PDB file of all heavy atoms in Angstrom:
ATOM      1  N   SER A  80      -9.866 -23.886  -4.804  1.00 91.00           N
ATOM      2  CA  SER A  80      -8.490 -23.420  -4.968  1.00 91.00           C
ATOM      3  C   SER A  80      -8.393 -21.930  -4.754  1.00 91.00           C
ATOM      4  O   SER A  80      -9.380 -21.197  -4.898  1.00 91.00           O
ATOM      5  CB  SER A  80      -7.986 -23.822  -6.356  1.00 91.00           C
ATOM      6  OG  SER A  80      -6.749 -23.204  -6.645  1.00 91.00           O
ATOM      7  N   ARG A  81      -7.186 -21.443  -4.495  1.00 94.00           N
ATOM      8  CA  ARG A  81      -6.924 -20.019  -4.394  1.00 94.00           C
ATOM      9  C   ARG A  81      -6.865 -19.378  -5.781  1.00 94.00           C
ATOM     10  O   ARG A  81      -6.714 -18.143  -5.882  1.00 94.00           O
ATOM     11  CB  ARG A  81      -5.595 -19.790  -3.661  1.00 94.00           C
ATOM     12  CG  ARG A  81      -5.688 -19.892  -2.146  1.00 94.00           C
ATOM     13  CD  ARG A  81      -4.328 -19.861  -1.504  1.00 94.00           C
ATOM     14  NE  ARG A  81      -3.680 -21.172  -1.536  1.00 94.00           N
ATOM     15  CZ  ARG A  81      -2.428 -21.398  -1.193  1.00 94.00           C
ATOM     16  NH1 ARG A  81      -1.644 -20.403  -0.817  1.00 94.00           N
ATOM     17  NH2 ARG A  81      -1.908 -22.606  -1.236  1.00 94.00           N
ATOM     18  N   VAL A  82      -6.926 -20.193  -6.837  1.00 95.00           N
ATOM     19  CA  VAL A  82      -6.872 -19.651  -8.194  1.00 95.00           C
ATOM     20  C   VAL A  82      -8.016 -18.680  -8.443  1.00 95.00           C
ATOM     21  O   VAL A  82      -7.844 -17.671  -9.147  1.00 95.00           O
ATOM     22  CB  VAL A  82      -6.897 -20.809  -9.239  1.00 95.00           C
ATOM     23  CG1 VAL A  82      -7.058 -20.246 -10.641  1.00 95.00           C
ATOM     24  CG2 VAL A  82      -5.617 -21.625  -9.140  1.00 95.00           C
ATOM     25  N   TRP A  83      -9.204 -18.953  -7.880  1.00 96.00           N
ATOM     26  CA  TRP A  83     -10.318 -18.031  -8.075  1.00 96.00           C
ATOM     27  C   TRP A  83      -9.981 -16.646  -7.515  1.00 96.00           C
ATOM     28  O   TRP A  83     -10.200 -15.622  -8.155  1.00 96.00           O
ATOM     29  CB  TRP A  83     -11.580 -18.565  -7.406  1.00 96.00           C
ATOM     30  CG  TRP A  83     -12.757 -17.651  -7.617  1.00 96.00           C
ATOM     31  CD1 TRP A  83     -13.616 -17.629  -8.676  1.00 96.00           C
ATOM     32  CD2 TRP A  83     -13.168 -16.566  -6.769  1.00 96.00           C
ATOM     33  NE1 TRP A  83     -14.541 -16.630  -8.554  1.00 96.00           N
ATOM     34  CE2 TRP A  83     -14.309 -15.922  -7.393  1.00 96.00           C
ATOM     35  CE3 TRP A  83     -12.737 -16.063  -5.565  1.00 96.00           C
ATOM     36  CZ2 TRP A  83     -14.959 -14.874  -6.825  1.00 96.00           C
ATOM     37  CZ3 TRP A  83     -13.373 -14.955  -4.980  1.00 96.00           C
ATOM     38  CH2 TRP A  83     -14.487 -14.371  -5.637  1.00 96.00           C
ATOM     39  N   TYR A  84      -9.438 -16.633  -6.304  1.00 98.00           N
ATOM     40  CA  TYR A  84      -9.055 -15.348  -5.663  1.00 98.00           C
ATOM     41  C   TYR A  84      -7.962 -14.655  -6.511  1.00 98.00           C
ATOM     42  O   TYR A  84      -8.025 -13.447  -6.738  1.00 98.00           O
ATOM     43  CB  TYR A  84      -8.575 -15.612  -4.247  1.00 98.00           C
ATOM     44  CG  TYR A  84      -8.109 -14.379  -3.501  1.00 98.00           C
ATOM     45  CD1 TYR A  84      -8.848 -13.206  -3.525  1.00 98.00           C
ATOM     46  CD2 TYR A  84      -6.945 -14.427  -2.749  1.00 98.00           C
ATOM     47  CE1 TYR A  84      -8.421 -12.078  -2.848  1.00 98.00           C
ATOM     48  CE2 TYR A  84      -6.531 -13.299  -2.035  1.00 98.00           C
ATOM     49  CZ  TYR A  84      -7.262 -12.128  -2.081  1.00 98.00           C
ATOM     50  OH  TYR A  84      -6.854 -11.022  -1.408  1.00 98.00           O
ATOM     51  N   LEU A  85      -6.985 -15.427  -6.974  1.00 97.00           N
ATOM     52  CA  LEU A  85      -5.937 -14.887  -7.812  1.00 97.00           C
ATOM     53  C   LEU A  85      -6.518 -14.209  -9.076  1.00 97.00           C
ATOM     54  O   LEU A  85      -6.119 -13.131  -9.428  1.00 97.00           O
ATOM     55  CB  LEU A  85      -4.961 -15.985  -8.220  1.00 97.00           C
ATOM     56  CG  LEU A  85      -3.849 -15.592  -9.202  1.00 97.00           C
ATOM     57  CD1 LEU A  85      -2.838 -14.654  -8.520  1.00 97.00           C
ATOM     58  CD2 LEU A  85      -3.111 -16.843  -9.716  1.00 97.00           C
ATOM     59  N   SER A  86      -7.447 -14.893  -9.683  1.00 97.00           N
ATOM     60  CA  SER A  86      -8.049 -14.363 -10.906  1.00 97.00           C
ATOM     61  C   SER A  86      -8.801 -13.051 -10.652  1.00 97.00           C
ATOM     62  O   SER A  86      -8.804 -12.143 -11.505  1.00 97.00           O
ATOM     63  CB  SER A  86      -8.993 -15.406 -11.559  1.00 97.00           C
ATOM     64  OG  SER A  86     -10.152 -15.603 -10.763  1.00 97.00           O
ATOM     65  N   GLN A  87      -9.445 -12.957  -9.502  1.00 98.00           N
ATOM     66  CA  GLN A  87     -10.191 -11.744  -9.156  1.00 98.00           C
ATOM     67  C   GLN A  87      -9.227 -10.588  -8.849  1.00 98.00           C
ATOM     68  O   GLN A  87      -9.442  -9.450  -9.299  1.00 98.00           O
ATOM     69  CB  GLN A  87     -11.110 -11.996  -7.979  1.00 98.00           C
ATOM     70  CG  GLN A  87     -12.178 -13.043  -8.237  1.00 98.00           C
ATOM     71  CD  GLN A  87     -13.100 -12.677  -9.368  1.00 98.00           C
ATOM     72  OE1 GLN A  87     -13.584 -11.565  -9.455  1.00 98.00           O
ATOM     73  NE2 GLN A  87     -13.327 -13.630 -10.278  1.00 98.00           N
ATOM     74  N   VAL A  88      -8.180 -10.863  -8.089  1.00 98.00           N
ATOM     75  CA  VAL A  88      -7.212  -9.810  -7.738  1.00 98.00           C
ATOM     76  C   VAL A  88      -6.504  -9.322  -8.987  1.00 98.00           C
ATOM     77  O   VAL A  88      -6.197  -8.149  -9.158  1.00 98.00           O
ATOM     78  CB  VAL A  88      -6.206 -10.331  -6.691  1.00 98.00           C
ATOM     79  CG1 VAL A  88      -5.117  -9.300  -6.442  1.00 98.00           C
ATOM     80  CG2 VAL A  88      -6.924 -10.656  -5.383  1.00 98.00           C
ATOM     81  N   ARG A  89      -6.220 -10.250  -9.911  1.00 97.00           N
ATOM     82  CA  ARG A  89      -5.484  -9.937 -11.131  1.00 97.00           C
ATOM     83  C   ARG A  89      -6.244  -8.891 -11.976  1.00 97.00           C
ATOM     84  O   ARG A  89      -5.626  -8.164 -12.742  1.00 97.00           O
ATOM     85  CB  ARG A  89      -5.252 -11.193 -11.963  1.00 97.00           C
ATOM     86  CG  ARG A  89      -4.416 -11.002 -13.223  1.00 97.00           C
ATOM     87  CD  ARG A  89      -3.017 -10.564 -12.854  1.00 97.00           C
ATOM     88  NE  ARG A  89      -2.222 -10.256 -14.023  1.00 97.00           N
ATOM     89  CZ  ARG A  89      -2.223  -9.085 -14.650  1.00 97.00           C
ATOM     90  NH1 ARG A  89      -2.995  -8.097 -14.217  1.00 97.00           N
ATOM     91  NH2 ARG A  89      -1.445  -8.878 -15.710  1.00 97.00           N
ATOM     92  N   ARG A  90      -7.543  -8.779 -11.803  1.00 97.00           N
ATOM     93  CA  ARG A  90      -8.333  -7.827 -12.588  1.00 97.00           C
ATOM     94  C   ARG A  90      -8.097  -6.390 -12.133  1.00 97.00           C
ATOM     95  O   ARG A  90      -8.464  -5.452 -12.827  1.00 97.00           O
ATOM     96  CB  ARG A  90      -9.800  -8.174 -12.496  1.00 97.00           C
ATOM     97  CG  ARG A  90     -10.146  -9.509 -13.105  1.00 97.00           C
ATOM     98  CD  ARG A  90     -11.618  -9.853 -12.951  1.00 97.00           C
ATOM     99  NE  ARG A  90     -11.947 -11.159 -13.488  1.00 97.00           N
ATOM    100  CZ  ARG A  90     -13.174 -11.677 -13.519  1.00 97.00           C
ATOM    101  NH1 ARG A  90     -14.188 -10.986 -13.041  1.00 97.00           N
ATOM    102  NH2 ARG A  90     -13.380 -12.864 -14.044  1.00 97.00           N
ATOM    103  N   GLY A  91      -7.564  -6.216 -10.930  1.00 97.00           N
ATOM    104  CA  GLY A  91      -7.217  -4.884 -10.455  1.00 97.00           C
ATOM    105  C   GLY A  91      -8.345  -4.080  -9.862  1.00 97.00           C
ATOM    106  O   GLY A  91      -8.188  -2.855  -9.712  1.00 97.00           O
ATOM    107  N   ASN A  92      -9.433  -4.706  -9.487  1.00 97.00           N
ATOM    108  CA  ASN A  92     -10.535  -3.952  -8.870  1.00 97.00           C
ATOM    109  C   ASN A  92     -11.155  -4.732  -7.709  1.00 97.00           C
ATOM    110  O   ASN A  92     -12.376  -4.691  -7.515  1.00 97.00           O
ATOM    111  CB  ASN A  92     -11.586  -3.591  -9.890  1.00 97.00           C
ATOM    112  CG  ASN A  92     -12.251  -4.824 -10.545  1.00 97.00           C
ATOM    113  OD1 ASN A  92     -11.805  -5.960 -10.301  1.00 97.00           O
ATOM    114  ND2 ASN A  92     -13.256  -4.624 -11.324  1.00 97.00           N
ATOM    115  N   PHE A  93     -10.350  -5.445  -6.946  1.00 98.00           N
ATOM    116  CA  PHE A  93     -10.911  -6.320  -5.939  1.00 98.00           C
ATOM    117  C   PHE A  93     -11.604  -5.572  -4.803  1.00 98.00           C
ATOM    118  O   PHE A  93     -12.473  -6.125  -4.131  1.00 98.00           O
ATOM    119  CB  PHE A  93      -9.835  -7.251  -5.332  1.00 98.00           C
ATOM    120  CG  PHE A  93     -10.420  -8.333  -4.463  1.00 98.00           C
ATOM    121  CD1 PHE A  93     -11.053  -9.432  -5.045  1.00 98.00           C
ATOM    122  CD2 PHE A  93     -10.369  -8.267  -3.072  1.00 98.00           C
ATOM    123  CE1 PHE A  93     -11.612 -10.438  -4.262  1.00 98.00           C
ATOM    124  CE2 PHE A  93     -10.947  -9.257  -2.293  1.00 98.00           C
ATOM    125  CZ  PHE A  93     -11.576 -10.348  -2.895  1.00 98.00           C
ATOM    126  N   GLU A  94     -11.243  -4.312  -4.579  1.00 98.00           N
ATOM    127  CA  GLU A  94     -11.944  -3.556  -3.533  1.00 98.00           C
ATOM    128  C   GLU A  94     -13.430  -3.476  -3.836  1.00 98.00           C
ATOM    129  O   GLU A  94     -14.257  -3.558  -2.921  1.00 98.00           O
ATOM    130  CB  GLU A  94     -11.305  -2.173  -3.367  1.00 98.00           C
ATOM    131  CG  GLU A  94     -11.673  -1.135  -4.408  1.00 98.00           C
ATOM    132  CD  GLU A  94     -10.998  -1.318  -5.749  1.00 98.00           C
ATOM    133  OE1 GLU A  94     -10.203  -2.280  -5.904  1.00 98.00           O
ATOM    134  OE2 GLU A  94     -11.230  -0.497  -6.670  1.00 98.00           O
ATOM    135  N   LYS A  95     -13.795  -3.344  -5.096  1.00 98.00           N
ATOM    136  CA  LYS A  95     -15.203  -3.298  -5.460  1.00 98.00           C
ATOM    137  C   LYS A  95     -15.840  -4.702  -5.427  1.00 98.00           C
ATOM    138  O   LYS A  95     -16.953  -4.860  -4.980  1.00 98.00           O
ATOM    139  CB  LYS A  95     -15.355  -2.688  -6.870  1.00 98.00           C
ATOM    140  CG  LYS A  95     -14.855  -1.246  -6.963  1.00 98.00           C
ATOM    141  CD  LYS A  95     -14.880  -0.735  -8.396  1.00 98.00           C
ATOM    142  CE  LYS A  95     -14.308   0.691  -8.461  1.00 98.00           C
ATOM    143  NZ  LYS A  95     -14.228   1.166  -9.856  1.00 98.00           N
ATOM    144  N   LYS A  96     -15.097  -5.671  -5.910  1.00 98.00           N
ATOM    145  CA  LYS A  96     -15.576  -7.042  -5.882  1.00 98.00           C
ATOM    146  C   LYS A  96     -15.816  -7.493  -4.467  1.00 98.00           C
ATOM    147  O   LYS A  96     -16.796  -8.202  -4.144  1.00 98.00           O
ATOM    148  CB  LYS A  96     -14.555  -7.961  -6.581  1.00 98.00           C
ATOM    149  CG  LYS A  96     -14.996  -9.421  -6.639  1.00 98.00           C
ATOM    150  CD  LYS A  96     -16.226  -9.591  -7.516  1.00 98.00           C
ATOM    151  CE  LYS A  96     -16.593 -11.066  -7.658  1.00 98.00           C
ATOM    152  NZ  LYS A  96     -17.773 -11.251  -8.542  1.00 98.00           N
ATOM    153  N   ASN A  97     -14.923  -7.110  -3.538  1.00 98.00           N
ATOM    154  CA  ASN A  97     -15.078  -7.485  -2.139  1.00 98.00           C
ATOM    155  C   ASN A  97     -16.355  -6.949  -1.524  1.00 98.00           C
ATOM    156  O   ASN A  97     -17.063  -7.660  -0.782  1.00 98.00           O
ATOM    157  CB  ASN A  97     -13.858  -6.993  -1.353  1.00 98.00           C
ATOM    158  CG  ASN A  97     -13.461  -7.901  -0.208  1.00 98.00           C
ATOM    159  OD1 ASN A  97     -12.377  -7.764   0.379  1.00 98.00           O
ATOM    160  ND2 ASN A  97     -14.298  -8.850   0.128  1.00 98.00           N
ATOM    161  N   ILE A  98     -16.693  -5.719  -1.860  1.00 98.00           N
ATOM    162  CA  ILE A  98     -17.949  -5.132  -1.366  1.00 98.00           C
ATOM    163  C   ILE A  98     -19.142  -5.894  -1.945  1.00 98.00           C
ATOM    164  O   ILE A  98     -20.087  -6.219  -1.247  1.00 98.00           O
ATOM    165  CB  ILE A  98     -18.028  -3.659  -1.754  1.00 98.00           C
ATOM    166  CG1 ILE A  98     -16.932  -2.858  -1.000  1.00 98.00           C
ATOM    167  CG2 ILE A  98     -19.399  -3.077  -1.438  1.00 98.00           C
ATOM    168  CD1 ILE A  98     -16.803  -1.390  -1.439  1.00 98.00           C
ATOM    169  N   GLU A  99     -19.086  -6.208  -3.246  1.00 98.00           N
ATOM    170  CA  GLU A  99     -20.178  -6.974  -3.895  1.00 98.00           C
ATOM    171  C   GLU A  99     -20.351  -8.343  -3.244  1.00 98.00           C
ATOM    172  O   GLU A  99     -21.491  -8.806  -3.073  1.00 98.00           O
ATOM    173  CB  GLU A  99     -19.881  -7.120  -5.388  1.00 98.00           C
ATOM    174  CG  GLU A  99     -19.926  -5.813  -6.160  1.00 98.00           C
ATOM    175  CD  GLU A  99     -19.481  -5.999  -7.605  1.00 98.00           C
ATOM    176  OE1 GLU A  99     -19.203  -7.172  -7.970  1.00 98.00           O
ATOM    177  OE2 GLU A  99     -19.425  -5.006  -8.347  1.00 98.00           O
TER     178      GLU A  99
END
Side-chain angles (χ1 to χ4, degrees):
S80 169
R81 282 171 277 171
V82 171
W83 182 86
Y84 179 45
L85 175 69
S86 69
Q87 297 300 313
V88 174
R89 184 65 184 84
R90 297 178 182 182
N92 61 353
F93 191 75
E94 78 285 0
K95 297 174 183 176
K96 182 66 176 181
N97 213 168
I98 294 173
E99 292 174 2

